[in-house]
Amino acid sequence: MSDTLSTAKTPSPAPPPSRPPSPSRSLVVARLRDLALVPAIIAVAIVGSIVNPVFLSSDNIVNVLQSMSEIAILVLAQTIVLITGKMDLSLESTFGLAPGIAAWLIVDPALTRGLGLGVLPDGWAIPVVLLVGALVGAFNGLLIVRFGLNGFIVTLGMLIILRGLLTGISGGQTFFALPGSMTYLGSASWFGAPASIWVSLLLFAAGIVVLGYTRAGRALYAIGGNADAARAAGIRTDRVLWIALVVASVLAALAGLLISGRLAAVPSAQGSGAIFQVFAAAVIGGVSLNGGRGTVFGAFTGVLLLFMIINVLTLAGVPAQWTNFLNGAVILVALVVSRITGGKAQT
């Protein structure tokens, strides 16, 4: 009897505590998610080669990479902002205004075919372009961070203002006869490929390192995931957001310089509508509109897939007017897929 009671009172051993997933396993999962679009890229490449054998030729591959290089830098800029939980619609206008300001000051305000009547010498082209981008980003940061205004509305207003400013200084015309300092990066070749491709790849490589392996990158993700928790953890959220907006605008200005160099001109409508392609590429690349999720490599695969699809449609003879329809459809499909796979409502 006593043996029975003592046996009944003997506590059963507690189950071993559940162990959290190891960091290495989480890292593997993140890397696999980065490769999610690779099968789609391979499938599009196969379809493209069937549609037109020219698709896989070296000249066409270089053409795709060069045509996407400027927009890819815009996608990188938008990715940085989206990860923080914000968005910057004004990037497409900075894309046009920054080189437009430089051309206006250097070529000739009166558009007199580059007769040397500009205010600044040729060597100031790149510094002016980057400075304009930095000023736009700093002003966006002032309104969004310092005054606490809605980022979507602020950057939408800036998009309109900057577009109107470019139209005003150019008189609705195109700046041409650009100096060599403005055309070099967009027209030069490095190691047998256009310089714009190398610039884009180097910037994405830097973005992968910074966002994936540095304290600054972790701060961006922390702010996008939960700004209050990031602030409580000692992250200077206002400063990080401000820097992110400035860096994004500088990247947009640089992208505008590249395309201006490739075209040897700055049209008054440069960048108009580019924001649709930017969001399409970022979203299908797995960058969350809610912030805190997405990678630079994923964004790169997104823009690559988008431009590959556009190239296949072009080789198949599909009119270019259907491009906007494609971009919109891709955004909606990507949002639905992201909602299903992420299990989190998008607000």
Side-chain angles (χ1 to χ4, degrees), residues 83-326:
I83 286 174
T84 67
K86 306 293 183 182
M87 61 177 61
D88 190 346
L89 302 178
S90 68
L91 292 178
E92 75 163 38
S93 292
T94 305
F95 182 76
L97 178 67
I101 291 287
W104 181 53
L105 294 175
I106 293 171
V107 177
D108 182 12
L111 299 174
T112 53
R113 297 182 180 273
L115 297 180
L117 302 178
V119 177
L120 297 178
D122 294 355
W124 282 88
I126 295 179
V128 167
V129 169
L130 300 181
L131 178 61
V132 171
L135 290 176
V136 171
F139 188 70
N140 284 338
L142 176 67
L143 297 180
I144 296 171
V145 178
R146 182 65 64 186
F147 290 98
L149 302 182
N150 182 276
F152 179 88
I153 302 301
V154 166
T155 56
L156 176 61
M158 286 297 291
L159 180 152
I160 299 170
I161 290 173
L162 300 181
R163 177 68 58 203
L165 181 57
L166 177 59
T167 303
I169 64 175
S170 66
Q173 302 179 56
T174 298
F175 291 106
F176 48 85
L178 302 181
S181 56
M182 290 191 67
T183 60
Y184 174 74
L185 287 177
S187 60
S189 291
W190 296 345
F191 306 105
S196 58
I197 296 177
W198 292 111
V199 172
S200 177
L201 292 177
L202 288 173
L203 288 173
F204 268 91
I208 290 172
V209 172
V210 172
L211 269 70
Y213 302 98
T214 68
R215 180 179 298 178
R218 291 191 292 271
L220 292 176
Y221 283 102
I223 293 171
N226 190 322
D228 292 333
R231 192 177 297 108
I235 297 175
R236 297 183 177 181
T237 57
D238 289 353
R239 176 183 295 183
V240 173
L241 283 173
W242 213 322
I243 293 175
L245 290 168
V246 171
V247 170
S249 289
V250 170
L251 289 174
L254 177 60
L257 178 67
L258 292 178
I259 196 170
S260 297
R262 180 157 64 92
L263 301 176
V266 185
S268 61
Q270 179 164 297
S272 180
I275 200 67
F276 300 118
Q277 285 186 322
V278 169
F279 273 107
V283 170
I284 67 176
V287 181
S288 174
L289 298 180
N290 294 324
R293 187 165 63 87
T295 64
V296 173
F297 182 81
F300 178 79
T301 59
V303 69
L304 177 60
L305 177 62
L306 183 63
F307 273 80
M308 286 177 64
I309 294 174
I310 293 173
N311 185 252
V312 170
L313 293 177
T314 301
L315 293 176
V318 177
Q321 291 83 349
W322 287 95
T323 300
N324 286 337
F325 169 81
L326 169 67

Side-chain angles (χ1 to χ4, degrees), residues 46-125:
I46 294 173
V47 171
S49 63
I50 295 173
V51 170
N52 193 324
V54 174
F55 180 79
L56 291 180
S57 66
S58 58
D59 289 341
N60 187 65
I61 292 174
V62 169
N63 175 62
V64 171
L65 293 175
Q66 185 177 25
S67 62
M68 68 172 263
S69 60
E70 300 92 5
I71 297 298
I73 296 175
L74 276 181
V75 173
L76 174 60
Q78 192 68 257
T79 297
I80 294 172
V81 178
L82 286 174
I83 286 174
T84 67
K86 306 293 183 182
M87 61 177 61
D88 190 346
L89 302 178
S90 68
L91 292 178
E92 75 163 38
S93 292
T94 305
F95 182 76
L97 178 67
I101 291 287
W104 181 53
L105 294 175
I106 293 171
V107 177
D108 182 12
L111 299 174
T112 53
R113 297 182 180 273
L115 297 180
L117 302 178
V119 177
L120 297 178
D122 294 355
W124 282 88

